[in-house]
């Protein structure tokens, strides 16, 4: 849902809690080069083809790490293959940093009593390390990872699970992500979608609400949810 006035006319809206769920890579943390490179390096080390980070990103929607590795290797991913990836991903995760303005945005949302969560295609192993390295662990009581969702994005399963775990109906939730697959996931779930354009993914003419900076997320949430959060100013 991308209509900024979609819930503003709801007379009961003020009494309802609000959930804001985020994608991780490319939205909260600047890992959209280092993490795909970890995949590419792993595939080459395992005898697979030479692939670029862009090749990896283009396949992330097909499933979690074992599925992506199997796609490029042409065979099922073995435990030793996953160990190889984890070593390379750990190095990328340890260098993960939040985008400028993200922590301030999360502080404001926390002060406004929003229920915050994450739905990411990353595995639990990688997501935990990225969040720790970027100093964001304490903000998210609910984190749903790609190896825990029944189906990958753009299927809504992981987002629906995150909202249910936060105790908020999907219709009262917002999903913030940098990729088209994130916004399609929001649509499939019946959530409001915000395109996080600050990581370099900004597209002209997006049909969705677009935030060019993390600070603009606060303004868009106020519009999307009828001023219920008191975040403006």
């Amino acid at each position: 849902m991308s209509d900024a006035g979609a819930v503003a006319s709801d007379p009961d809206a003020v009494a309802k809690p609000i959930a804001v769920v985020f994608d991780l890579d490319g939205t909260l943390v600047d890992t959209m080069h280092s993490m795909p490179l970890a995949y590419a390096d792993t595939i080459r080390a395992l005898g697979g083809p030479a692939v670029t980070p862009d090749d990896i990103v283009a396949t992330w929607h097909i499933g979690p790490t074992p599925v992506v590795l199997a796609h490029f290797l042409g065979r099922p991913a073995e435990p030793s293959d996953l160990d190889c990836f984890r070593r390379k991903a750990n190095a990328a995760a340890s260098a993960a940093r939040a985008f400028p303005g993200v922590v301030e945005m999360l502080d404001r949302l926390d002060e406004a009593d929003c229920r915050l969560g994450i739905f990411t295609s990353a595995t639990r192993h990688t997501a935990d390390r990225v969040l720790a390295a970027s100093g964001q662990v304490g903000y998210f009581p609910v984190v749903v990872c790609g190896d825990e969702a029944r189906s990958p994005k753009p299927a809504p399963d992981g987002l629906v699970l995150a909202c249910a775990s936060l105790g908020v109906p999907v219709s009262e939730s917002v999903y913030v992500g940098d990729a088209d697959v994130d916004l399609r996931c929001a649509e499939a779930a019946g959530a409001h979608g915000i395109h996080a354009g600050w990581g370099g993914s900004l597209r002209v003419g997006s049909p969705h609400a677009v935030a060019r900076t993390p600070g603009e997320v606060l303004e868009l949430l106020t519009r999307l949810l009828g001023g219920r959060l008191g975040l403006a100013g």
Side-chain angles (χ1 to χ4, degrees):
M1 298 173 65
S2 58
D3 183 356
V7 296
S9 61
D10 183 354
D12 299 319
V14 70
K16 297 175 182 175
I18 294 163
V20 184
V21 182
F22 292 88
D23 174 51
L24 183 58
D25 295 294
T27 299
L28 294 174
V29 292
D30 188 4
T31 52
M32 286 304 288
H33 178 73
S34 60
M35 202 56 69
L37 189 60
Y39 274 93
D41 287 348
T42 299
I43 291 162
R44 283 195 297 271
L46 295 173
V51 294
T52 68
D54 286 343
D55 294 331
I56 299 297
V57 172
T59 64
W60 268 353
H61 69 283
I62 68 175
T65 297
V67 177
V68 173
L69 292 180
H71 172 80
F72 287 105
L73 293 173
R75 58 172 176 78
E78 302 292 337
S80 59
D81 301 330
L82 296 176
D83 288 341
C84 179
F85 170 75
R86 289 190 188 102
R87 289 193 295 272
K88 295 180 184 298
N90 284 348
S94 66
R97 298 293 180 268
F99 281 110
V102 161
V103 171
E104 292 80 2
M105 170 189 68
L106 296 175
D107 283 336
R108 291 287 303 281
L109 292 173
D110 186 57
E111 291 167 2
D113 293 326
C114 289
R115 300 183 185 181
L116 302 181
I118 287 175
F119 171 40
T120 174
S121 296
T123 64
R124 171 64 60 180
H125 176 91
T126 299
D128 285 348
R129 282 155 179 76
V130 166
L131 287 170
S134 61
Q136 298 179 74
V137 173
Y139 290 101
F140 301 104
V142 170
V143 178
V144 177
C145 298
D147 50 352
E148 298 163 346
R150 185 172 57 185
S151 301
K153 304 175 192 177
D157 305 63
L159 180 55
V160 171
L161 176 59
C163 294
S165 300
L166 290 167
V168 178
V170 177
S171 61
E172 293 297 317
S173 304
V174 177
Y175 190 40
V176 184
D178 67 301
D180 179 67
V181 72
D182 300 320
L183 300 170
R184 288 163 56 202
C185 175
E187 289 179 351
H192 303 278
I194 291 180
H195 177 196
W198 55 80
S201 65
L202 185 61
R203 293 182 295 276
V204 177
S206 171
H208 299 274
V210 176
R212 291 167 177 80
T213 67
E216 288 187 11
V217 170
L218 307 174
E219 300 169 14
L220 287 170
L221 285 172
T222 299
R223 287 171 48 205
L224 285 166
L225 299 166
R228 291 154 54 190
L229 301 182
L231 286 167

